[in-house]
Amino acid sequence: MKNKESNKYLDMELLRFTTAGSVDDGKSTLIGRLLYDSKSIFEDQYEAIKRVSEKAGDEQVNLALLTDGLRAEREQGITIDVAYRYFATPRRKFIIADTPGHIQYTRNMVTGASTANLAIILVDARNGVVEQTCRHSFIASLLNIPHLVICVNKMDLVNYDENVFEDIKKSFKNFAAKLEIQDINFIPISAKFGDNVVEKSKNMDWYQGSTLLYLLETIHIGSDFNLIDCRFPVQNVIRPQSDKYHDYRGFAGRIAGGIFKPGDKVMALPSGFSSKIKSIDTFDGPVKEAFPPMSVTITLEDQIDISRGDMLVRENNVPTVSHDIDLMICWMNEKKLNLNGKYAIKHTTKEARCIIKDIKYKVDINTLHRIVDYKEIGLNDIARIIIRTTQPLFFDKYKINRTTGSVILIDEATNETLGAGMIIR
Amino acid sequence: MIKYNLSHLEELESESIFVIREVCSQFQNPALLFSGGKDSIVMFHLARKAFFPAPPPFPLLHIDTGHNFIETLEYRDRIVQNTGVRLVIGSVQESIDKGRVTEEKGYNASRNMLQTVTLLDTIEKYKFDAAMGGARRDEEKARAKERFFSHRDEFGQWDPKNQRPELWNLFNGRKNIGEHFRVFPLSNWTEMDIWQYILIEDIEMPCLYFSHMRDCFTRDGVIYAKSEYIPMKTNEIIENMRVRFRTIGDMTCTGAVLSDANSVEDIILEVSATRVTERGTRADDKRSDTAMEDRKKEGYF
């Protein structure tokens, strides 16, 4: 970008987070509070929901209305789909994937979680850790969201009692020991009154930690991408064929892992041919290095045959190259998963076909138990399956790299996206 | 130690470039919807970045209501001349002449609704299978639930309750013959991001965005530019005002704001202090609470 050194707007980072909670946990109120207290709600939006709230006879302005956009949602008072919300502070810009708390929950939370750096899980202080909490945490861990924030909400209804908070913290930690979550934070809040959301609570002197907004603004997200294993899935081949760039042949794509530099020796998959990086080009000139999630164009010293769906990697650090893949799948369609069924599969920039070879077990997402005797996989189910693809995929474990470790399955007849897969091996 | 993370604008830029490149790989014949407004200008700028040093491999598609600001057309033609990009025009006037649509009557008549038919006809005529639009999710509540890759059936309709789930960066652009996609590379940008980006990228903007003196009149709280396309009521008076436009659509539905903002820096300050959404100046959204959703279902931008 131009003016790079001189501009303050380039100091801001982007944090994507998702919010989870069941219907009455106060999730919409919390989002409304974050937007309202950080002055991200505009007057005309506020006036509009105030009018609707008054019409419905609500005492307080129903901040939840900010997130329900579609006609059917307003008519039925439910949220149907993932809604994306935006707000910014001088430190960071935030993208909230707001997911509904009822039916279709799993499908929507998985969608929202797939791009999130952080998940907020709301726990009602009166009810403590419940089945829903476990389900949400499991999905956060399954989708490998790097940071988890447990907001113990409605502290006003338990007299802002420290013991209530500590008990919930303890029981959550006991449960979370079963999950792989890198970073867990706990904050006692009252979304309704704003305690510890944007402003520090005057009712909870015993809490020394930061407010939710401060945590969102400062949590370290610099190492959320894999900077070790070099992965560059090729999106397009750029051949200007103009007089000035007569022999130019560049490979466009977004870095999925590792740090690439000119002069690096790289290998192309699936061909196995090696070359050296000649340049890493952008519209604003060549760069000295490229890292995730930069979009760049790489040129090589040698003319080797590379096309969309191929991947540039380092010779001494290659992903798994295989037809047979073991993965967790979240099913997102009413049409059930079909053992031995054939589907289209998308992985990085590659598209292939696959067959479902085995359904190993289904996960009871409330208890985390494996169900092995009942293997019908329908909407919102999560299961471990084995697939075989028509062409080998070049992949990593999802836990190591979210980009090279994820796939979607597509119905070949209707073209609908049916399932989201996280590769185990 | 070098910091290996991008700023929010760099990350948004990279995401949009990725999406635009996906469009070119997944579709045979895409087009970029260009209105001469700031979002489509930024989108075209990103498209040039995405394929550099080659030119973007798709044309600009302008749906011309015939009620344009002259400044918009001048800007559009200058872009075409400077970059050599191909321009395809869909004309609402032509749709009217052919009897495909009927012009609205009355004081608030607008060709905004008619554009949908022209857009769908043009997509069919040129066999475009993907049309990239500059819509952002922060603009309007129905847009908050829009996908990057948004499927349209053979009638060009959007079915909000039956959208494909969109995970990670895996965009599913598969479709049957006759169907097409709308793709929104700027989905995650806000109005503020757009202006900050215009500033640091030093992108030339149409002069309508900056403060200028103009003959205007006020109707239902909206300031309209005086124009031959809007019949005035007898009690409405022309005043010479210092205004600028926050959004640019056709003259019959684009409201101005009183403003002294003369530079992109001024506009950023104005946007950060303002307490009304940009679509608050759009007459087309004021028709009902779900006006945008209703138009989108039929195939609007």
Side-chain angles (χ1 to χ4, degrees), chain B residues 115-124 155-156 180 182 298-299:
Chain B
Q115 288 183 92
T116 303
V117 173
T118 310
L119 172 62
L120 293 175
D121 285 355
T122 313
I123 286 173
E124 218 172 290
F155 300 101
H180 76 277
R182 299 291 171 80
E298 287 164 12

Side-chain angles (χ1 to χ4, degrees), chain A residues 152-418:
Chain A
V152 180
N153 190 24
K154 304 196 181 177
M155 286 301 288
D156 53 301
L157 297 180
V158 295
N159 298 318
Y160 298 105
D161 185 351
E162 180 176 9
N163 291 326
V164 172
F165 176 68
E166 288 301 329
D167 285 349
I168 292 174
K169 204 166 147 179
K170 216 161 100 193
S171 67
F172 186 86
K173 279 184 171 167
N174 277 337
F175 158 76
K178 285 187 273 184
L179 303 171
E180 289 175 59
I181 299 168
Q182 302 159 33
D183 175 31
I184 309 179
N185 304 270
F186 296 87
I187 306 178
I189 64 164
S190 164
K192 191 172 172 188
F193 296 105
D195 296 83
N196 289 332
V197 178
V198 173
E199 305 289 339
K200 203 146 175 57
S201 171
K202 293 190 179 78
N203 300 308
M204 291 178 274
D205 294 340
W206 46 265
Y207 174 71
Q208 302 299 319
S210 51
T211 63
L212 176 61
L213 184 65
Y214 185 80
L215 183 83
L216 294 174
E217 281 185 309
T218 53
I219 201 160
H220 178 68
I221 52 172
S223 38
D224 289 358
F225 285 105
N226 180 327
L227 296 174
I228 312 284
D229 311 304
C230 289
R231 306 283 184 261
F232 184 73
V234 174
Q235 243 187 314
N236 325 65
V237 180
I238 302 216
R239 302 189 62 186
Q241 290 169 311
S242 59
D243 290 344
K244 190 173 169 195
Y245 297 99
H246 191 69
D247 295 318
Y248 189 94
R249 205 174 132 80
F251 305 104
R254 204 174 186 198
I255 312 279
I259 299 160
F260 287 83
K261 297 188 183 86
D264 283 352
K265 207 170 171 201
V266 289
M267 184 170 87
L269 293 173
S271 72
F273 291 130
S274 291
S275 182
K276 263 188 190 163
I277 295 179
K278 187 172 163 191
S279 67
I280 302 175
D281 294 337
T282 73
F283 184 84
D284 304 301
V287 293
K288 291 196 182 81
E289 52 189 358
F291 51 89
M294 284 170 73
S295 286
V296 295
T297 301
I298 291 178
T299 64
L300 300 177
E301 297 280 1
D302 309 281
Q303 290 277 351
I304 53 177
D305 185 27
I306 295 173
S307 52
R308 176 174 166 87
D310 293 358
M311 192 184 278
L312 294 179
V313 300
R314 302 294 293 268
E315 267 177 322
N316 55 0
N317 178 346
V318 291
T320 308
V321 180
S322 173
H323 287 275
D324 299 294
I325 304 165
D326 180 347
L327 61 145
M328 292 296 273
I329 188 107
C330 171
W331 203 248
M332 305 185 145
N333 199 282
E334 272 100 12
K335 218 178 289 169
K336 296 196 179 345
L337 172 71
N338 200 352
L339 181 63
N340 295 319
K342 295 189 178 85
Y343 299 95
I345 182 169
K346 253 183 195 290
H347 171 255
T348 65
T349 54
K350 202 173 177 66
E351 202 169 321
R353 297 178 70 214
C354 71
I355 179 166
I356 312 296
K357 299 294 277 187
D358 189 15
I359 299 171
K360 291 173 97 173
Y361 56 84
K362 181 166 147 177
V363 179
D364 180 328
I365 55 173
N366 296 318
T367 60
L368 306 191
H369 290 149
R370 295 172 180 188
I371 307 167
V372 289
D373 48 351
Y374 178 79
K375 291 178 177 172
E376 201 172 80
I377 310 302
L379 180 62
N380 292 318
D381 284 339
I382 290 172
R384 181 147 175 198
I385 61 170
I386 306 282
I387 60 170
R388 184 170 173 84
T389 54
T390 47
Q391 301 165 40
L393 302 185
F394 331 121
F395 60 86
D396 296 289
K397 290 176 184 163
Y398 183 78
K399 292 277 175 205
I400 292 173
N401 191 317
R402 290 168 95 183
T403 308
T404 55
S406 52
V407 298
I408 55 171
L409 297 191
I410 297 167
D411 189 317
E412 291 188 296
T414 65
N415 298 318
E416 288 170 294
T417 302
L418 300 174

Side-chain angles (χ1 to χ4, degrees), chain B residues 221-252:
Chain B
V222 180
I223 303 172
Y224 290 96
K226 179 192 162 203
S227 101
E228 55 182 298
Y229 312 121
I230 318 178
M232 290 186 49
K233 298 177 187 171
T234 45
N235 61 343
E236 288 168 337
I237 343 156
I238 297 287
E239 281 175 89
N240 197 249
M241 304 184 193
R242 179 162 289 283
V243 295
R244 69 175 202 89
F245 293 89
R246 261 178 99 182
T247 68
I248 295 180
D250 95 3
M251 292 192 80
T252 61

